[in-house]
Amino acid sequence: MRTGPAAAGRAGAPGGARRPWRARRGPALLLAGALLALAGAAAAVAPAGGRAQDAPAAAGAPGGGAGTPAADGTADTIGPVAERERCAGGRDPAESYRAERVAGDAVRRIRERGEGGQLIVGIDQNSYLWGYRSPETGDIVGFDLDLVRAIAEDLLGTDAPDAVTYLAIPTDQREDAIRDGQVDMVVRAMSITCDRWEQVAFSTAYFDTGQQLLVPRNSPVTGYDASLTGARVCSAAGSTAAGLLEREDFGAELVPAPNHLDCLVLVQLGEADALMTDSALAAGHVAQDPSMRLVGEPLTQESYGVAMNLADVDLVRWVNAVLEDYREGGADSRWAQSADRWLQGYLYPEDAPPPAPPRPRYLD
Protein backbone atom coordinates (compact mmCIF):
# COMPACT_ATOMS: atom_id res chain seq x y z
CA MET A 1 0.00 0.00 0.00
CA ARG A 2 1.17 3.54 -0.75
CA THR A 3 0.98 6.66 1.31
CA GLY A 4 -0.40 9.53 -0.73
CA PRO A 5 0.12 13.28 -0.39
CA ALA A 6 -1.72 15.22 2.25
CA ALA A 7 -5.30 16.03 1.33
CA ALA A 8 -5.69 19.54 -0.03
CA GLY A 9 -8.12 21.73 1.86
CA ARG A 10 -10.00 21.07 5.09
CA ALA A 11 -13.72 20.98 5.55
CA GLY A 12 -15.26 23.64 7.73
CA ALA A 13 -17.36 23.12 10.78
CA PRO A 14 -21.06 22.52 10.33
CA GLY A 15 -23.01 25.69 10.24
CA GLY A 16 -26.17 27.32 9.02
CA ALA A 17 -29.66 25.89 8.78
CA ARG A 18 -30.08 22.33 7.63
CA ARG A 19 -31.99 21.74 4.45
CA PRO A 20 -35.40 20.04 4.62
CA TRP A 21 -35.16 16.35 5.38
CA ARG A 22 -36.56 15.31 2.02
CA ALA A 23 -34.16 17.50 0.07
CA ARG A 24 -32.18 15.40 -2.40
CA ARG A 25 -28.57 15.34 -3.29
CA GLY A 26 -27.75 15.59 -6.98
CA PRO A 27 -26.02 12.85 -8.96
CA ALA A 28 -22.50 14.20 -8.40
CA LEU A 29 -21.97 12.34 -5.12
CA LEU A 30 -23.32 9.10 -6.50
CA LEU A 31 -20.99 9.33 -9.47
CA ALA A 32 -18.05 10.11 -7.19
CA GLY A 33 -18.87 7.09 -5.04
CA ALA A 34 -19.20 4.85 -8.07
CA LEU A 35 -15.84 5.94 -9.42
CA LEU A 36 -14.23 5.25 -6.06
CA ALA A 37 -15.75 1.80 -5.95
CA LEU A 38 -14.70 0.88 -9.46
CA ALA A 39 -11.19 2.18 -8.85
CA GLY A 40 -10.84 -0.11 -5.82
CA ALA A 41 -9.92 0.72 -2.26
CA ALA A 42 -6.54 -0.93 -1.85
CA ALA A 43 -4.47 2.28 -2.08
CA ALA A 44 -3.38 4.08 1.08
CA VAL A 45 -5.09 7.34 1.91
CA ALA A 46 -3.05 10.34 2.91
CA PRO A 47 -2.66 11.46 6.51
CA ALA A 48 -5.76 13.52 7.12
CA GLY A 49 -7.18 15.81 9.73
CA GLY A 50 -9.41 18.79 10.12
CA ARG A 51 -13.08 18.75 10.93
CA ALA A 52 -15.64 16.98 8.82
CA GLN A 53 -18.19 19.13 7.07
CA ASP A 54 -21.88 18.72 7.69
CA ALA A 55 -23.42 15.83 5.80
CA PRO A 56 -25.75 16.72 2.91
CA ALA A 57 -29.46 16.60 3.56
CA ALA A 58 -31.12 13.23 3.48
CA ALA A 59 -32.72 11.48 0.56
CA GLY A 60 -34.77 8.54 1.71
CA ALA A 61 -37.92 6.56 1.33
CA PRO A 62 -41.32 8.13 1.91
CA GLY A 63 -42.06 8.41 5.59
CA GLY A 64 -38.48 9.18 6.58
CA GLY A 65 -35.17 7.40 6.78
CA ALA A 66 -34.16 4.63 4.47
CA GLY A 67 -37.48 2.84 4.96
CA THR A 68 -37.89 -0.64 6.43
CA PRO A 69 -41.04 -2.27 5.06
CA ALA A 70 -42.20 -5.38 6.89
CA ALA A 71 -41.55 -8.83 5.42
CA ASP A 72 -44.42 -10.25 3.41
CA GLY A 73 -45.24 -12.87 6.03
CA THR A 74 -45.54 -15.80 3.63
CA ALA A 75 -44.63 -19.33 4.66
CA ASP A 76 -41.47 -19.11 2.54
CA THR A 77 -39.85 -16.38 4.64
CA ILE A 78 -37.65 -17.29 7.59
CA GLY A 79 -38.57 -14.08 9.36
CA PRO A 80 -36.13 -11.87 11.26
CA VAL A 81 -33.08 -13.48 12.78
CA ALA A 82 -32.74 -10.68 15.29
CA GLU A 83 -31.18 -12.72 18.10
CA ARG A 84 -27.75 -11.53 19.14
CA GLU A 85 -24.97 -13.98 18.40
CA ARG A 86 -23.52 -15.83 21.38
CA CYS A 87 -19.96 -17.13 21.59
CA ALA A 88 -18.74 -20.16 23.54
CA GLY A 89 -20.05 -20.14 27.08
CA GLY A 90 -22.84 -17.74 26.15
CA ARG A 91 -20.55 -14.71 25.89
CA ASP A 92 -21.80 -11.72 23.92
CA PRO A 93 -19.22 -10.96 21.17
CA ALA A 94 -19.53 -7.24 22.01
CA GLU A 95 -17.89 -7.87 25.41
CA SER A 96 -14.37 -6.49 25.54
CA TYR A 97 -11.55 -5.79 28.00
CA ARG A 98 -12.31 -3.30 30.75
CA ALA A 99 -11.42 0.31 29.98
CA GLU A 100 -8.05 1.44 31.29
CA ARG A 101 -5.42 3.95 30.16
CA VAL A 102 -2.18 2.04 30.69
CA ALA A 103 0.66 2.48 28.21
CA GLY A 104 1.79 -1.05 27.39
CA ASP A 105 3.80 -2.27 24.40
CA ALA A 106 1.18 -1.37 21.77
CA VAL A 107 0.55 2.13 23.06
CA ARG A 108 4.29 2.80 23.32
CA ARG A 109 4.81 1.51 19.77
CA ILE A 110 2.33 4.07 18.45
CA ARG A 111 3.71 6.92 20.55
CA GLU A 112 7.30 6.22 19.53
CA ARG A 113 6.57 6.02 15.80
CA GLY A 114 7.88 8.99 13.83
CA GLU A 115 8.13 12.38 15.50
CA GLY A 116 5.56 12.77 18.23
CA GLY A 117 3.77 9.49 17.51
CA GLN A 118 1.75 8.14 14.62
CA LEU A 119 -1.47 6.12 14.58
CA ILE A 120 -2.08 3.97 11.49
CA VAL A 121 -5.75 3.18 10.94
CA GLY A 122 -7.52 1.03 8.37
CA ILE A 123 -10.64 2.79 7.13
CA ASP A 124 -13.15 2.82 4.29
CA GLN A 125 -13.31 5.59 1.70
CA ASN A 126 -16.43 4.21 -0.02
CA SER A 127 -19.08 4.25 2.74
CA TYR A 128 -21.15 7.42 2.51
CA LEU A 129 -21.86 8.85 5.99
CA TRP A 130 -19.38 6.46 7.65
CA GLY A 131 -16.06 6.83 5.83
CA TYR A 132 -15.88 8.43 2.38
CA ARG A 133 -13.87 10.96 0.42
CA SER A 134 -15.69 14.27 0.33
CA PRO A 135 -16.05 15.47 -3.28
CA GLU A 136 -15.94 19.06 -1.98
CA THR A 137 -12.66 18.87 -0.03
CA GLY A 138 -10.96 15.58 -0.86
CA ASP A 139 -10.83 14.69 2.85
CA ILE A 140 -11.93 11.30 4.19
CA VAL A 141 -14.86 12.09 6.48
CA GLY A 142 -17.78 10.42 8.25
CA PHE A 143 -19.01 8.94 11.54
CA ASP A 144 -16.13 6.45 11.75
CA LEU A 145 -13.57 9.16 11.04
CA ASP A 146 -14.84 11.32 13.90
CA LEU A 147 -14.17 8.38 16.23
CA VAL A 148 -10.68 7.87 14.80
CA ARG A 149 -9.81 11.49 15.53
CA ALA A 150 -11.08 11.20 19.10
CA ILE A 151 -8.90 8.11 19.64
CA ALA A 152 -5.83 9.80 18.14
CA GLU A 153 -6.29 12.97 20.19
CA ASP A 154 -6.56 10.99 23.41
CA LEU A 155 -3.77 8.51 22.65
CA LEU A 156 -1.24 10.99 21.26
CA GLY A 157 -2.35 14.20 22.95
CA THR A 158 -2.67 16.06 19.66
CA ASP A 159 -5.19 16.73 16.92
CA ALA A 160 -2.48 17.46 14.33
CA PRO A 161 -3.51 16.26 10.85
CA ASP A 162 -0.33 14.23 10.40
CA ALA A 163 -0.83 12.29 13.65
CA VAL A 164 -2.99 9.76 11.81
CA THR A 165 -2.24 7.83 8.63
CA TYR A 166 -5.29 6.28 6.97
CA LEU A 167 -5.07 3.14 4.87
CA ALA A 168 -8.16 2.31 2.78
CA ILE A 169 -8.68 -1.45 3.12
CA PRO A 170 -11.16 -3.73 1.28
CA THR A 171 -13.65 -5.59 3.46
CA ASP A 172 -12.01 -9.02 3.11
CA GLN A 173 -8.54 -7.69 4.00
CA ARG A 174 -9.37 -6.09 7.36
CA GLU A 175 -8.25 -8.95 9.61
CA ASP A 176 -5.10 -9.58 7.58
CA ALA A 177 -4.09 -5.91 7.76
CA ILE A 178 -4.33 -6.04 11.55
CA ARG A 179 -2.57 -9.39 12.00
CA ASP A 180 0.23 -8.45 9.57
CA GLY A 181 0.89 -5.15 11.37
CA GLN A 182 -0.06 -2.93 8.44
CA VAL A 183 -2.38 -0.98 10.74
CA ASP A 184 -2.78 -0.46 14.47
CA MET A 185 -6.55 -0.71 14.23
CA VAL A 186 -9.46 -0.83 11.81
CA VAL A 187 -12.36 1.59 12.24
CA ARG A 188 -14.54 0.64 9.31
CA ALA A 189 -18.15 -0.17 10.26
CA MET A 190 -16.85 -3.63 11.22
CA SER A 191 -19.32 -5.95 12.92
CA ILE A 192 -18.12 -7.74 16.03
CA THR A 193 -18.57 -11.52 15.65
CA CYS A 194 -17.40 -14.63 17.47
CA ASP A 195 -15.47 -15.86 14.41
CA ARG A 196 -13.67 -12.53 14.05
CA TRP A 197 -12.64 -12.65 17.71
CA GLU A 198 -10.53 -15.67 16.68
CA GLN A 199 -8.53 -13.39 14.36
CA VAL A 200 -8.60 -9.93 15.99
CA ALA A 201 -9.64 -8.23 19.22
CA PHE A 202 -12.46 -5.70 19.45
CA SER A 203 -13.32 -2.68 21.51
CA THR A 204 -16.71 -2.37 23.11
CA ALA A 205 -19.52 -1.58 20.65
CA TYR A 206 -19.91 1.95 19.30
CA PHE A 207 -22.94 1.39 17.03
CA ASP A 208 -25.74 -1.20 16.67
CA THR A 209 -27.04 -2.42 13.31
CA GLY A 210 -28.20 -5.55 11.43
CA GLN A 211 -28.09 -7.16 7.99
CA GLN A 212 -30.80 -6.19 5.50
CA LEU A 213 -31.53 -6.40 1.77
CA LEU A 214 -31.40 -3.34 -0.46
CA VAL A 215 -33.14 -3.40 -3.85
CA PRO A 216 -34.41 -1.01 -6.56
CA ARG A 217 -37.86 0.37 -5.78
CA ASN A 218 -39.49 -1.62 -8.60
CA SER A 219 -37.90 -4.93 -7.51
CA PRO A 220 -40.11 -7.98 -6.90
CA VAL A 221 -37.83 -9.01 -4.02
CA THR A 222 -39.73 -8.62 -0.76
CA GLY A 223 -37.16 -9.81 1.75
CA TYR A 224 -34.81 -12.63 2.71
CA ASP A 225 -37.18 -15.30 1.41
CA ALA A 226 -38.25 -17.25 -1.69
CA SER A 227 -38.64 -13.99 -3.63
CA LEU A 228 -34.83 -14.14 -4.02
CA THR A 229 -35.04 -17.24 -6.23
CA GLY A 230 -33.17 -16.54 -9.48
CA ALA A 231 -32.04 -13.08 -8.33
CA ARG A 232 -28.39 -12.00 -8.37
CA VAL A 233 -27.53 -10.86 -4.85
CA CYS A 234 -24.29 -9.00 -4.19
CA SER A 235 -22.37 -8.74 -0.92
CA ALA A 236 -18.88 -7.65 0.07
CA ALA A 237 -16.44 -10.56 0.26
CA GLY A 238 -15.59 -11.39 3.86
CA SER A 239 -18.62 -9.55 5.26
CA THR A 240 -21.21 -10.92 7.67
CA ALA A 241 -23.74 -10.45 4.85
CA ALA A 242 -21.72 -12.81 2.63
CA GLY A 243 -21.65 -15.43 5.38
CA LEU A 244 -25.41 -15.20 5.88
CA LEU A 245 -26.11 -15.60 2.15
CA GLU A 246 -23.74 -18.55 1.88
CA ARG A 247 -25.66 -20.35 4.64
CA GLU A 248 -29.06 -19.74 2.98
CA ASP A 249 -29.32 -18.24 -0.50
CA PHE A 250 -33.00 -19.06 -1.28
CA GLY A 251 -32.01 -19.98 -4.83
CA ALA A 252 -30.23 -16.68 -5.52
CA GLU A 253 -27.01 -16.36 -7.49
CA LEU A 254 -24.38 -14.89 -5.18
CA VAL A 255 -22.26 -12.07 -6.59
CA PRO A 256 -19.15 -11.20 -4.53
CA ALA A 257 -17.51 -7.77 -4.64
CA PRO A 258 -14.59 -6.16 -2.77
CA ASN A 259 -16.80 -3.60 -0.99
CA HIS A 260 -20.50 -2.98 -0.44
CA LEU A 261 -20.41 0.18 -2.59
CA ASP A 262 -19.20 -1.98 -5.49
CA CYS A 263 -22.45 -3.89 -5.01
CA LEU A 264 -24.50 -0.71 -5.35
CA VAL A 265 -22.69 0.09 -8.58
CA LEU A 266 -23.37 -3.44 -9.89
CA VAL A 267 -27.08 -3.01 -9.14
CA GLN A 268 -27.06 0.36 -10.92
CA LEU A 269 -25.35 -1.24 -13.92
CA GLY A 270 -27.91 -4.06 -14.03
CA GLU A 271 -25.32 -6.70 -13.13
CA ALA A 272 -26.95 -7.51 -9.77
CA ASP A 273 -30.56 -7.38 -8.60
CA ALA A 274 -30.06 -6.78 -4.89
CA LEU A 275 -27.38 -6.30 -2.29
CA MET A 276 -27.14 -7.22 1.35
CA THR A 277 -25.24 -5.13 3.88
CA ASP A 278 -25.66 -3.57 7.30
CA SER A 279 -28.80 -1.44 7.46
CA ALA A 280 -26.66 1.46 8.73
CA LEU A 281 -24.45 1.31 5.64
CA ALA A 282 -27.49 0.76 3.42
CA ALA A 283 -28.94 4.06 4.63
CA GLY A 284 -25.93 5.74 3.04
CA HIS A 285 -26.69 3.96 -0.24
CA VAL A 286 -30.28 5.19 -0.17
CA ALA A 287 -29.00 8.70 0.48
CA GLN A 288 -26.79 8.38 -2.59
CA ASP A 289 -29.43 6.73 -4.75
CA PRO A 290 -33.07 7.40 -3.77
CA SER A 291 -34.23 4.78 -6.30
CA MET A 292 -33.09 2.10 -3.79
CA ARG A 293 -35.03 0.85 -0.76
CA LEU A 294 -34.57 -1.55 2.14
CA VAL A 295 -36.92 -4.56 2.20
CA GLY A 296 -37.83 -7.10 4.84
CA GLU A 297 -36.77 -6.99 8.46
CA PRO A 298 -33.23 -6.76 9.82
CA LEU A 299 -31.89 -10.30 9.78
CA THR A 300 -29.27 -10.02 12.48
CA GLN A 301 -28.48 -7.95 15.54
CA GLU A 302 -24.89 -6.76 15.31
CA SER A 303 -22.60 -4.09 16.71
CA TYR A 304 -19.67 -2.20 15.23
CA GLY A 305 -16.37 -2.21 17.11
CA VAL A 306 -12.81 -0.99 16.66
CA ALA A 307 -10.69 -4.00 15.64
CA MET A 308 -7.10 -4.42 16.87
CA ASN A 309 -4.42 -7.10 17.15
CA LEU A 310 -5.15 -9.89 19.65
CA ALA A 311 -1.81 -9.18 21.34
CA ASP A 312 -2.52 -5.46 21.81
CA VAL A 313 -4.68 -5.76 24.92
CA ASP A 314 -3.35 -2.49 26.36
CA LEU A 315 -4.46 -0.67 23.19
CA VAL A 316 -7.91 -2.30 23.34
CA ARG A 317 -8.30 -1.15 26.94
CA TRP A 318 -7.19 2.38 26.01
CA VAL A 319 -9.67 2.59 23.13
CA ASN A 320 -12.41 1.39 25.47
CA ALA A 321 -11.52 4.22 27.87
CA VAL A 322 -11.81 6.68 24.97
CA LEU A 323 -15.19 5.21 24.07
CA GLU A 324 -16.37 5.63 27.68
CA ASP A 325 -15.71 9.37 27.38
CA TYR A 326 -16.98 9.53 23.79
CA ARG A 327 -20.42 8.21 24.84
CA GLU A 328 -20.61 10.29 28.03
CA GLY A 329 -22.91 13.30 28.18
CA GLY A 330 -26.16 12.17 26.57
CA ALA A 331 -27.25 14.54 23.81
CA ASP A 332 -24.10 16.62 24.38
CA SER A 333 -21.69 13.71 24.00
CA ARG A 334 -19.20 13.60 21.15
CA TRP A 335 -20.97 10.42 19.99
CA ALA A 336 -24.31 12.28 19.76
CA GLN A 337 -22.73 15.27 18.03
CA SER A 338 -21.20 12.99 15.41
CA ALA A 339 -24.50 11.16 14.96
CA ASP A 340 -26.30 14.46 14.42
CA ARG A 341 -23.68 15.56 11.90
CA TRP A 342 -23.77 12.42 9.78
CA LEU A 343 -26.78 10.24 10.56
CA GLN A 344 -29.65 12.56 11.44
CA GLY A 345 -32.22 12.49 8.65
CA TYR A 346 -30.81 9.20 7.35
CA LEU A 347 -31.05 6.77 10.28
CA TYR A 348 -33.38 8.90 12.41
CA PRO A 349 -35.60 11.91 11.60
CA GLU A 350 -34.42 15.49 11.33
CA ASP A 351 -34.58 17.43 14.62
CA ALA A 352 -35.03 14.21 16.60
CA PRO A 353 -32.52 13.30 19.31
CA PRO A 354 -29.97 10.67 18.30
CA PRO A 355 -30.44 7.11 19.51
CA ALA A 356 -28.47 6.17 22.60
CA PRO A 357 -25.08 4.62 21.90
CA PRO A 358 -24.61 0.96 22.83
CA ARG A 359 -23.80 0.37 26.49
CA PRO A 360 -20.35 -1.13 26.99
CA ARG A 361 -20.06 -4.79 27.96
CA TYR A 362 -16.89 -6.04 29.62
CA LEU A 363 -15.19 -9.41 29.93
CA ASP A 364 -13.39 -8.59 33.20
Side-chain angles (χ1 to χ4, degrees):
M1 295 185 177
R2 298 174 289 107
T3 302
R10 300 294 171 205
R18 296 176 71 95
R19 285 173 285 177
W21 124 255
R22 291 182 186 273
R24 294 193 172 185
R25 185 78 170 164
L29 180 59
L30 179 59
L31 177 59
L35 291 174
L36 279 171
L38 293 175
V45 182
R51 296 187 61 182
Q53 80 279 3
D54 199 14
T68 314
D72 64 3
T74 66
D76 291 323
T77 183
I78 65 168
V81 187
E83 295 284 330
R84 286 190 70 86
E85 183 185 19
R86 293 291 171 180
C87 304
R91 181 177 73 86
D92 190 313
E95 293 175 3
S96 183
Y97 302 109
R98 188 155 299 273
E100 187 178 29
R101 287 181 173 87
V102 174
D105 291 344
V107 172
R108 285 194 294 270
R109 178 188 74 229
I110 294 166
R111 288 178 167 177
E112 293 170 2
R113 185 183 288 136
E115 296 182 8
Q118 180 89 165
L119 180 65
I120 304 175
V121 185
I123 51 91
D124 194 355
Q125 64 174 352
N126 295 326
S127 292
Y128 184 49
L129 309 181
W130 295 90
Y132 72 102
R133 188 178 292 280
S134 166
E136 286 86 4
T137 68
D139 289 339
I140 307 297
V141 295
F143 188 86
D144 280 343
L145 276 296
D146 285 357
L147 176 56
V148 170
R149 293 185 184 102
I151 294 170
E153 289 169 17
D154 192 278
L155 192 62
L156 299 175
T158 179
D159 59 359
D162 59 358
V164 184
T165 295
Y166 296 136
L167 299 182
I169 298 174
T171 303
D172 62 352
Q173 295 179 24
R174 294 175 296 189
E175 291 94 335
D176 288 343
I178 295 168
R179 293 200 312 266
D180 296 345
Q182 299 176 53
V183 297
D184 299 309
M185 62 185 63
V186 167
V187 185
R188 194 187 180 284
M190 187 171 178
S191 295
I192 308 169
T193 69
C194 300
D195 285 346
R196 286 176 179 163
W197 261 105
E198 297 293 323
Q199 306 295 322
V200 297
F202 284 97
S203 70
T204 55
Y206 67 85
F207 201 87
D208 289 332
T209 187
Q211 297 300 314
Q212 202 161 357
L213 281 165
L214 189 68
V215 300
R217 290 196 175 275
N218 61 355
S219 172
V221 174
T222 57
Y224 187 54
D225 53 36
S227 67
L228 286 174
T229 301
R232 298 161 298 175
V233 182
C234 186
S235 62
S239 66
T240 48
L244 185 62
L245 287 165
E246 287 165 3
R247 288 194 297 273
E248 175 57 80
D249 59 23
F250 287 101
E253 176 188 345
L254 304 188
V255 180
N259 294 295
H260 60 94
L261 184 58
D262 298 277
C263 287
L264 177 63
V265 174
L266 291 175
V267 172
Q268 291 168 334
L269 294 174
E271 296 178 15
D273 303 304
L275 69 94
M276 183 183 284
T277 189
D278 307 342
S279 56
L281 295 176
H285 293 329
V286 174
Q288 290 175 295
D289 185 351
S291 71
M292 302 293 291
R293 66 187 177 104
L294 285 163
V295 294
E297 299 290 341
L299 301 167
T300 59
Q301 198 177 108
E302 302 172 16
S303 299
Y304 295 154
V306 178
M308 290 157 278
N309 195 289
L310 285 168
D312 292 348
V313 176
D314 65 310
L315 182 59
V316 178
R317 291 187 186 279
W318 197 294
V319 170
N320 285 340
V322 176
L323 283 169
E324 289 266 6
D325 294 341
Y326 199 69
R327 303 183 192 97
E328 187 68 26
D332 295 324
S333 68
R334 291 186 70 176
W335 189 97
Q337 291 170 13
S338 183
D340 276 350
R341 179 179 299 167
W342 300 110
L343 309 179
Q344 188 183 61
Y346 297 95
L347 291 177
Y348 59 97
E350 287 283 356
D351 302 321
R359 296 183 61 181
R361 298 177 173 91
Y362 293 111
L363 289 165
D364 51 358

